[in-house]
Amino acid sequence: KNEMKALLCVLVVLQTVAGVSSRERTFVVGGWLPLDGSEITNSLAPIFQDYLTEYVGKTVNPPVKFVFRPVDMDESSSSRQMIMSGNIDLLYSAPGSIACKAAEFGWVPLATQRNIVGSSVTGSDALVVYSLLKNTAITSVEDLVGKRLGCGYLLSGTTYLHGYQMLLDHGVHIFRDMTQVRFYGSDYESNFQAVLRGELDVGFATSSWLSKNHNDEIGLLRIHDRQIAPSYEREGYPSVVSRLTPTYGVVVSDNLSWELKRKIQEALLSHNASHPAMRSMNIAGWSSAANYGVSLTAAVNSGVAYETGKAQITCRNPFSRRDIWESISCPSDYFKADYNLTTEQCDGNGLRCPSGVFCFCKPCIRKPQNLFRWETVLGLCVALYAAGGFYILLHWFVDRPAGHHHWHVGGGGWHSHEASSAAETIGDGGDVPRLMPRNKM
């Protein structure tokens, strides 16, 4: 009986250990799209939960499972905070977010999705900087100075980061030069409609989103820095765009084993457009990870990513107006306005800010200019110094004892001679002496 009890005890312990082991072998995949939470889950769970569990989880020993969670909907679902607390292991997101996670946490970009654009397939995305064709005051990027801009999600490549970079490449700094900048987050539709109504002059958008949702209205738009069928990483893009960028991808924790990373990548790359999970995402499949360095550069230049130490990058959160204000980076001869003042600047200029939209109106303010160049100031200092020296010399000249040399200007320049006893000092009761001229014999 004792042996039987001992055996049962061992079995219970083994079952408990197995249960704990099973729970520890659950991997959480976070995902973001410009949709609400339920739509994100419906689009992404079939591949990142069901497919990975079926085609990866059952091929490793012990088996693992994958669970999907929508992230970055608000502060409580911040992917950055979840990574820091160890609550997610993989992330599917926009290029800026992929680049930031790789730079800040050492996560590894694993795969990049392949998009369906018309009848073609491409591994890139496309930024469109657009205004209304009928707005003849804007015919080039340089004309955007003094205009109103609508953009999207802070970490989006096409609706913010690469749009910011493109304008900067043309010498247009959106927070210095534009009258108003609105952040619509994932509400791309409201941004587009505001441009159509004339509330905004220019907008950032994703080419595939425009084609899918407003193909009939593209003829109303002027596409700035227009490129026809450009190429990215040796692959053409079948549309008119402003700039090509990396597209959405998957980045994974470096804590995952090399074997598990390889199996996840192989499972993704073996997909094709006919698979049910691919149809739920409306994409053609996957390729090896693109180079997201260009997105990190745009993030650093925009202030979304910043250096916190030697070779250390930190990225801003995208959830509140203050988060965006903190990301604003002004040129060196400008300073950033106080957070509260940026609201007053919009109201004071009659620039409406819709509910739920974050607005900024010229938050970069020019620093007071120096009245003189430094060379002029230095010259004045030298002149004053010289004048002071002359003044001291003059006093020494007047107060010197008899018999000492003094200097005067003669016909041959500066000369020295001894003072004569004929030089008399006439006092008037005061302490300041005066020289009398030498009497001629």
PDB file of all heavy atoms in Angstrom, residues 201-222:
ATOM      1  N   ASP A 201      -5.543  70.907 -45.805  1.00  0.00           N
ATOM      2  CA  ASP A 201      -5.005  71.128 -47.142  1.00  0.00           C
ATOM      3  C   ASP A 201      -4.290  69.909 -47.701  1.00  0.00           C
ATOM      4  O   ASP A 201      -4.214  69.738 -48.919  1.00  0.00           O
ATOM      5  CB  ASP A 201      -4.021  72.299 -47.105  1.00  0.00           C
ATOM      6  CG  ASP A 201      -4.685  73.585 -46.622  1.00  0.00           C
ATOM      7  OD1 ASP A 201      -5.592  74.063 -47.314  1.00  0.00           O
ATOM      8  OD2 ASP A 201      -4.293  74.079 -45.545  1.00  0.00           O
ATOM      9  N   VAL A 202      -3.734  69.078 -46.809  1.00  0.00           N
ATOM     10  CA  VAL A 202      -2.921  67.956 -47.259  1.00  0.00           C
ATOM     11  C   VAL A 202      -3.048  66.810 -46.270  1.00  0.00           C
ATOM     12  O   VAL A 202      -3.305  67.026 -45.080  1.00  0.00           O
ATOM     13  CB  VAL A 202      -1.435  68.393 -47.418  1.00  0.00           C
ATOM     14  CG1 VAL A 202      -0.864  68.863 -46.095  1.00  0.00           C
ATOM     15  CG2 VAL A 202      -0.583  67.301 -48.020  1.00  0.00           C
ATOM     16  N   GLY A 203      -2.880  65.582 -46.762  1.00  0.00           N
ATOM     17  CA  GLY A 203      -2.964  64.416 -45.892  1.00  0.00           C
ATOM     18  C   GLY A 203      -1.916  63.379 -46.255  1.00  0.00           C
ATOM     19  O   GLY A 203      -1.382  63.370 -47.376  1.00  0.00           O
ATOM     20  N   PHE A 204      -1.606  62.512 -45.288  1.00  0.00           N
ATOM     21  CA  PHE A 204      -0.767  61.332 -45.515  1.00  0.00           C
ATOM     22  C   PHE A 204      -1.687  60.122 -45.566  1.00  0.00           C
ATOM     23  O   PHE A 204      -2.594  59.990 -44.734  1.00  0.00           O
ATOM     24  CB  PHE A 204       0.232  61.119 -44.382  1.00  0.00           C
ATOM     25  CG  PHE A 204       1.258  62.202 -44.209  1.00  0.00           C
ATOM     26  CD1 PHE A 204       1.909  62.360 -42.996  1.00  0.00           C
ATOM     27  CD2 PHE A 204       1.596  63.048 -45.253  1.00  0.00           C
ATOM     28  CE1 PHE A 204       2.875  63.345 -42.819  1.00  0.00           C
ATOM     29  CE2 PHE A 204       2.552  64.038 -45.097  1.00  0.00           C
ATOM     30  CZ  PHE A 204       3.197  64.187 -43.875  1.00  0.00           C
ATOM     31  N   ALA A 205      -1.446  59.205 -46.497  1.00  0.00           N
ATOM     32  CA  ALA A 205      -2.265  57.993 -46.588  1.00  0.00           C
ATOM     33  C   ALA A 205      -1.432  56.851 -47.143  1.00  0.00           C
ATOM     34  O   ALA A 205      -0.351  57.053 -47.706  1.00  0.00           O
ATOM     35  CB  ALA A 205      -3.495  58.225 -47.461  1.00  0.00           C
ATOM     36  N   THR A 206      -1.965  55.645 -46.978  1.00  0.00           N
ATOM     37  CA  THR A 206      -1.374  54.454 -47.565  1.00  0.00           C
ATOM     38  C   THR A 206      -2.016  54.218 -48.930  1.00  0.00           C
ATOM     39  O   THR A 206      -3.242  54.249 -49.063  1.00  0.00           O
ATOM     40  CB  THR A 206      -1.620  53.234 -46.662  1.00  0.00           C
ATOM     41  OG1 THR A 206      -1.128  53.519 -45.356  1.00  0.00           O
ATOM     42  CG2 THR A 206      -0.935  51.999 -47.207  1.00  0.00           C
ATOM     43  N   SER A 207      -1.189  53.980 -49.929  1.00  0.00           N
ATOM     44  CA  SER A 207      -1.698  53.801 -51.295  1.00  0.00           C
ATOM     45  C   SER A 207      -2.739  52.692 -51.375  1.00  0.00           C
ATOM     46  O   SER A 207      -3.798  52.860 -51.995  1.00  0.00           O
ATOM     47  CB  SER A 207      -0.536  53.495 -52.239  1.00  0.00           C
ATOM     48  OG  SER A 207      -1.007  53.190 -53.528  1.00  0.00           O
ATOM     49  N   SER A 208      -2.461  51.544 -50.746  1.00  0.00           N
ATOM     50  CA  SER A 208      -3.396  50.423 -50.825  1.00  0.00           C
ATOM     51  C   SER A 208      -4.721  50.768 -50.142  1.00  0.00           C
ATOM     52  O   SER A 208      -5.792  50.348 -50.611  1.00  0.00           O
ATOM     53  CB  SER A 208      -2.783  49.174 -50.186  1.00  0.00           C
ATOM     54  OG  SER A 208      -2.391  49.425 -48.850  1.00  0.00           O
ATOM     55  N   TRP A 209      -4.664  51.552 -49.049  1.00  0.00           N
ATOM     56  CA  TRP A 209      -5.909  51.958 -48.372  1.00  0.00           C
ATOM     57  C   TRP A 209      -6.731  52.874 -49.276  1.00  0.00           C
ATOM     58  O   TRP A 209      -7.947  52.723 -49.388  1.00  0.00           O
ATOM     59  CB  TRP A 209      -5.583  52.664 -47.056  1.00  0.00           C
ATOM     60  CG  TRP A 209      -6.794  53.083 -46.291  1.00  0.00           C
ATOM     61  CD1 TRP A 209      -7.501  52.343 -45.382  1.00  0.00           C
ATOM     62  CD2 TRP A 209      -7.481  54.339 -46.393  1.00  0.00           C
ATOM     63  NE1 TRP A 209      -8.579  53.060 -44.905  1.00  0.00           N
ATOM     64  CE2 TRP A 209      -8.587  54.285 -45.511  1.00  0.00           C
ATOM     65  CE3 TRP A 209      -7.273  55.501 -47.130  1.00  0.00           C
ATOM     66  CZ2 TRP A 209      -9.471  55.357 -45.356  1.00  0.00           C
ATOM     67  CZ3 TRP A 209      -8.152  56.558 -46.988  1.00  0.00           C
ATOM     68  CH2 TRP A 209      -9.241  56.487 -46.101  1.00  0.00           C
ATOM     69  N   LEU A 210      -6.055  53.828 -49.931  1.00  0.00           N
ATOM     70  CA  LEU A 210      -6.766  54.727 -50.842  1.00  0.00           C
ATOM     71  C   LEU A 210      -7.398  53.946 -51.988  1.00  0.00           C
ATOM     72  O   LEU A 210      -8.557  54.174 -52.355  1.00  0.00           O
ATOM     73  CB  LEU A 210      -5.811  55.769 -51.412  1.00  0.00           C
ATOM     74  CG  LEU A 210      -5.597  57.059 -50.616  1.00  0.00           C
ATOM     75  CD1 LEU A 210      -4.577  57.940 -51.319  1.00  0.00           C
ATOM     76  CD2 LEU A 210      -6.904  57.809 -50.411  1.00  0.00           C
ATOM     77  N   SER A 211      -6.635  53.025 -52.564  1.00  0.00           N
ATOM     78  CA  SER A 211      -7.152  52.249 -53.701  1.00  0.00           C
ATOM     79  C   SER A 211      -8.350  51.406 -53.303  1.00  0.00           C
ATOM     80  O   SER A 211      -9.315  51.269 -54.064  1.00  0.00           O
ATOM     81  CB  SER A 211      -6.040  51.352 -54.266  1.00  0.00           C
ATOM     82  OG  SER A 211      -4.969  52.128 -54.732  1.00  0.00           O
ATOM     83  N   LYS A 212      -8.299  50.834 -52.109  1.00  0.00           N
ATOM     84  CA  LYS A 212      -9.378  49.958 -51.652  1.00  0.00           C
ATOM     85  C   LYS A 212     -10.632  50.738 -51.283  1.00  0.00           C
ATOM     86  O   LYS A 212     -11.757  50.308 -51.592  1.00  0.00           O
ATOM     87  CB  LYS A 212      -8.899  49.140 -50.451  1.00  0.00           C
ATOM     88  CG  LYS A 212      -9.966  48.213 -49.880  1.00  0.00           C
ATOM     89  CD  LYS A 212      -9.434  47.450 -48.671  1.00  0.00           C
ATOM     90  CE  LYS A 212     -10.508  46.570 -48.049  1.00  0.00           C
ATOM     91  NZ  LYS A 212      -9.993  45.847 -46.854  1.00  0.00           N
ATOM     92  N   ASN A 213     -10.473  51.895 -50.636  1.00  0.00           N
ATOM     93  CA  ASN A 213     -11.622  52.602 -50.079  1.00  0.00           C
ATOM     94  C   ASN A 213     -12.080  53.809 -50.885  1.00  0.00           C
ATOM     95  O   ASN A 213     -13.232  54.223 -50.754  1.00  0.00           O
ATOM     96  CB  ASN A 213     -11.279  53.062 -48.653  1.00  0.00           C
ATOM     97  CG  ASN A 213     -11.053  51.900 -47.705  1.00  0.00           C
ATOM     98  OD1 ASN A 213     -11.982  51.279 -47.210  1.00  0.00           O
ATOM     99  ND2 ASN A 213      -9.776  51.598 -47.443  1.00  0.00           N
ATOM    100  N   HIS A 214     -11.197  54.382 -51.717  1.00  0.00           N
ATOM    101  CA  HIS A 214     -11.561  55.612 -52.442  1.00  0.00           C
ATOM    102  C   HIS A 214     -10.980  55.622 -53.851  1.00  0.00           C
ATOM    103  O   HIS A 214     -10.506  56.661 -54.326  1.00  0.00           O
ATOM    104  CB  HIS A 214     -11.094  56.847 -51.652  1.00  0.00           C
ATOM    105  CG  HIS A 214     -11.780  57.013 -50.337  1.00  0.00           C
ATOM    106  ND1 HIS A 214     -13.071  57.491 -50.222  1.00  0.00           N
ATOM    107  CD2 HIS A 214     -11.361  56.724 -49.075  1.00  0.00           C
ATOM    108  CE1 HIS A 214     -13.419  57.522 -48.939  1.00  0.00           C
ATOM    109  NE2 HIS A 214     -12.414  57.050 -48.228  1.00  0.00           N
ATOM    110  N   ASN A 215     -11.045  54.516 -54.509  1.00  0.00           N
ATOM    111  CA  ASN A 215     -10.466  54.417 -55.842  1.00  0.00           C
ATOM    112  C   ASN A 215     -11.109  55.399 -56.824  1.00  0.00           C
ATOM    113  O   ASN A 215     -10.426  55.970 -57.684  1.00  0.00           O
ATOM    114  CB  ASN A 215     -10.607  52.984 -56.370  1.00  0.00           C
ATOM    115  CG  ASN A 215      -9.754  52.733 -57.588  1.00  0.00           C
ATOM    116  OD1 ASN A 215      -8.546  52.944 -57.547  1.00  0.00           O
ATOM    117  ND2 ASN A 215     -10.378  52.314 -58.683  1.00  0.00           N
ATOM    118  N   ASP A 216     -12.413  55.639 -56.670  1.00  0.00           N
ATOM    119  CA  ASP A 216     -13.114  56.540 -57.589  1.00  0.00           C
ATOM    120  C   ASP A 216     -12.772  58.004 -57.350  1.00  0.00           C
ATOM    121  O   ASP A 216     -13.049  58.854 -58.213  1.00  0.00           O
ATOM    122  CB  ASP A 216     -14.633  56.362 -57.450  1.00  0.00           C
ATOM    123  CG  ASP A 216     -15.098  54.998 -57.921  1.00  0.00           C
ATOM    124  OD1 ASP A 216     -14.341  54.352 -58.686  1.00  0.00           O
ATOM    125  OD2 ASP A 216     -16.189  54.560 -57.508  1.00  0.00           O
ATOM    126  N   GLU A 217     -12.188  58.310 -56.199  1.00  0.00           N
ATOM    127  CA  GLU A 217     -11.887  59.714 -55.869  1.00  0.00           C
ATOM    128  C   GLU A 217     -10.412  60.053 -56.025  1.00  0.00           C
ATOM    129  O   GLU A 217     -10.016  61.204 -55.820  1.00  0.00           O
ATOM    130  CB  GLU A 217     -12.342  60.005 -54.430  1.00  0.00           C
ATOM    131  CG  GLU A 217     -13.856  59.951 -54.284  1.00  0.00           C
ATOM    132  CD  GLU A 217     -14.279  59.657 -52.843  1.00  0.00           C
ATOM    133  OE1 GLU A 217     -13.862  58.621 -52.291  1.00  0.00           O
ATOM    134  OE2 GLU A 217     -15.035  60.475 -52.286  1.00  0.00           O
ATOM    135  N   ILE A 218      -9.598  59.072 -56.390  1.00  0.00           N
ATOM    136  CA  ILE A 218      -8.173  59.349 -56.548  1.00  0.00           C
ATOM    137  C   ILE A 218      -7.939  60.396 -57.638  1.00  0.00           C
ATOM    138  O   ILE A 218      -7.000  61.197 -57.559  1.00  0.00           O
ATOM    139  CB  ILE A 218      -7.414  58.041 -56.859  1.00  0.00           C
ATOM    140  CG1 ILE A 218      -7.393  57.151 -55.606  1.00  0.00           C
ATOM    141  CG2 ILE A 218      -5.989  58.318 -57.319  1.00  0.00           C
ATOM    142  CD1 ILE A 218      -6.719  55.818 -55.789  1.00  0.00           C
ATOM    143  N   GLY A 219      -8.817  60.437 -58.640  1.00  0.00           N
ATOM    144  CA  GLY A 219      -8.699  61.439 -59.704  1.00  0.00           C
ATOM    145  C   GLY A 219      -8.864  62.861 -59.217  1.00  0.00           C
ATOM    146  O   GLY A 219      -8.512  63.813 -59.934  1.00  0.00           O
ATOM    147  N   LEU A 220      -9.399  63.045 -58.012  1.00  0.00           N
ATOM    148  CA  LEU A 220      -9.573  64.387 -57.453  1.00  0.00           C
ATOM    149  C   LEU A 220      -8.313  64.880 -56.747  1.00  0.00           C
ATOM    150  O   LEU A 220      -8.258  66.039 -56.332  1.00  0.00           O
ATOM    151  CB  LEU A 220     -10.729  64.395 -56.442  1.00  0.00           C
ATOM    152  CG  LEU A 220     -12.098  63.941 -56.948  1.00  0.00           C
ATOM    153  CD1 LEU A 220     -13.089  63.906 -55.779  1.00  0.00           C
ATOM    154  CD2 LEU A 220     -12.598  64.880 -58.039  1.00  0.00           C
ATOM    155  N   LEU A 221      -7.315  63.999 -56.626  1.00  0.00           N
ATOM    156  CA  LEU A 221      -6.165  64.294 -55.778  1.00  0.00           C
ATOM    157  C   LEU A 221      -4.925  64.639 -56.589  1.00  0.00           C
ATOM    158  O   LEU A 221      -4.714  64.111 -57.680  1.00  0.00           O
ATOM    159  CB  LEU A 221      -5.856  63.093 -54.886  1.00  0.00           C
ATOM    160  CG  LEU A 221      -7.010  62.535 -54.041  1.00  0.00           C
ATOM    161  CD1 LEU A 221      -6.534  61.327 -53.243  1.00  0.00           C
ATOM    162  CD2 LEU A 221      -7.583  63.604 -53.122  1.00  0.00           C
ATOM    163  N   ARG A 222      -4.116  65.505 -56.034  1.00  0.00           N
ATOM    164  CA  ARG A 222      -2.777  65.762 -56.544  1.00  0.00           C
ATOM    165  C   ARG A 222      -1.804  64.968 -55.669  1.00  0.00           C
ATOM    166  O   ARG A 222      -1.761  65.160 -54.446  1.00  0.00           O
ATOM    167  CB  ARG A 222      -2.434  67.248 -56.480  1.00  0.00           C
ATOM    168  CG  ARG A 222      -1.081  67.602 -57.116  1.00  0.00           C
ATOM    169  CD  ARG A 222      -0.690  69.055 -56.825  1.00  0.00           C
ATOM    170  NE  ARG A 222      -1.731  69.970 -57.208  1.00  0.00           N
ATOM    171  CZ  ARG A 222      -1.938  70.455 -58.434  1.00  0.00           C
ATOM    172  NH1 ARG A 222      -1.128  70.059 -59.411  1.00  0.00           N
ATOM    173  NH2 ARG A 222      -2.917  71.295 -58.700  1.00  0.00           N
TER     174      ARG A 222
END
